[in-house]
């Protein structure tokens, strides 16, 4: 967890951030989600199980 996160600044080395943005674009509301930083398979698989290799 990055306790020093701020807008426009990359995640701290060795940290992971979940980012959610809600805005309007071309007259429509959009929701954008991101996981960024030092992301490992252990971090991403709970939110993106489709990335898991076929077993």
């Amino acid at each position: 967890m990055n306790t020093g996160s701020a807008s426009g600044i990359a995640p701290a080395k060795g940290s992971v951030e979940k980012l959610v943005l809600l805005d309007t674009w071309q007259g429509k509301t959009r929701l954008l989600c991101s996981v960024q930083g030092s992301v490992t398979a252990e971090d991403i698989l709970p939110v993106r199980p489709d990335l898991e290799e076929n077993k």
Side-chain angles (χ1 to χ4, degrees):
M1 176 157 114
N2 182 5
T3 58
S5 61
S7 178
I9 298 174
K13 186 175 183 177
S15 71
V16 177
E17 296 176 355
K18 290 181 181 178
L19 177 69
V20 176
L21 299 169
L22 180 63
D23 71 349
T24 47
W25 182 69
Q26 296 183 352
K28 296 180 181 179
T29 301
R30 66 180 178 172
L31 175 67
L32 305 167
C33 302
S34 174
V35 178
Q36 56 193 28
S38 300
V39 182
T40 65
E42 183 180 332
D43 297 322
I44 198 71
L45 288 177
V47 294
R48 288 290 311 272
D50 58 302
L51 297 177
E52 187 171 16
E53 294 181 27
N54 294 331
K55 293 184 177 182

